[in-house]
Amino acid sequence: MMMKQKATTPTTGLILAAMFASLTAIGAFIKVPVPFVPFTLQILFVYFAGSLLGSRIGALSQLVYLTIGLVGVPVFAEGGGIGYVLKPTFGYLVGFVLASYAIGQLIERKEKPTWRDFVIAHFTGLLLVYGAGTVYLYAAMNVLIGKTFTVWQTFLYGFLLAVPGDIILCLVASAIAVKVHKHVSPLKHRLRGEMKA
């Protein structure tokens, strides 16, 4: 029985990573146009990837998403392709990988995570996404694009206008994750154990 379980677990992990990469891609197409940094539902699935899949599989799902987009599949909010690294918003995508890993790490430390634990983990992920995103936005606008972009403009367009919706998604994701987590926790433990083996 154990041999069969170990043989199927890596495949299960890859399937879950691919599934959440697809969900993140779907979230990219549900967006509200905001100057420079459009508001999308992508981060909702970043929250879920980290809190429900764990740090490693969660981060892997976002790496898969990032890789698929960079090879040319139009899964990002504004298309795809290697040239996307020159987009001012590319830093947020890098932040997705960091956030999903950090969220997973924080939740994995809790034997029975509460709603508060999920809120803290998701807010930590939110800060990582916006930290990576705003730094890249500032550098891209001033260096890559050559357009003068002040720190205030970066804060306004890269954080202030976009973050309220993501905070709401953070709270919604926490309310859902606390109910779903107990059902997926056994699978997470098997996946984590197999990846360490």
Side-chain angles (χ1 to χ4, degrees), residues 5-66:
Q5 180 181 320
K6 286 192 174 184
T8 58
T9 298
T11 302
T12 303
L14 291 174
I15 291 172
L16 288 171
M19 182 178 73
F20 272 77
S22 300
L23 290 171
T24 307
I26 292 171
F29 294 103
I30 305 173
K31 58 185 176 181
V32 177
V34 177
F36 298 103
V37 183
F39 170 74
T40 72
L41 293 186
Q42 289 167 294
I43 199 167
L44 177 65
F45 300 109
V46 174
Y47 294 145
F48 287 141
S51 59
L52 300 181
L53 299 184
S55 57
R56 295 186 179 185
I57 301 296
L60 176 62
S61 72
Q62 299 309 302
L63 277 172
V64 170
Y65 171 66
L66 193 61

Side-chain angles (χ1 to χ4, degrees), residues 46 50-51 54-56 58-59 95-109 120-122 124-126 128:
V46 174
S51 59
S55 57
R56 295 186 179 185
F96 289 171
V97 181
L98 302 176
S100 56
Y101 184 81
I103 290 169
Q105 283 286 311
L106 290 171
I107 296 301
E108 286 165 358
R109 295 175 185 174
I120 292 173
H122 291 159
T124 300
L126 177 70
L128 285 171

Side-chain angles (χ1 to χ4, degrees), residues 6 9 11 20 22 27 35 37 41 64 74-75 82 86-87 89 94 125 135 138 140 142 169 192-193:
K6 286 192 174 184
T9 298
T11 302
F20 272 77
S22 300
V37 183
L41 293 186
V64 170
V75 294
I82 191 64
L86 302 177
K87 291 272 189 181
T89 56
V94 175
V135 168
Y138 181 82
N142 286 283
L169 291 178
R192 194 159 63 242

Side-chain angles (χ1 to χ4, degrees), residues 146-171:
K147 180 179 180 179
T148 302
F149 212 64
T150 65
V151 172
W152 164 246
Q153 286 176 308
T154 303
F155 178 72
L156 175 63
Y157 294 112
F159 181 81
L160 205 56
L161 292 179
V163 78
D166 287 337
I167 291 176
I168 293 174
L169 291 178
C170 172
L171 299 176

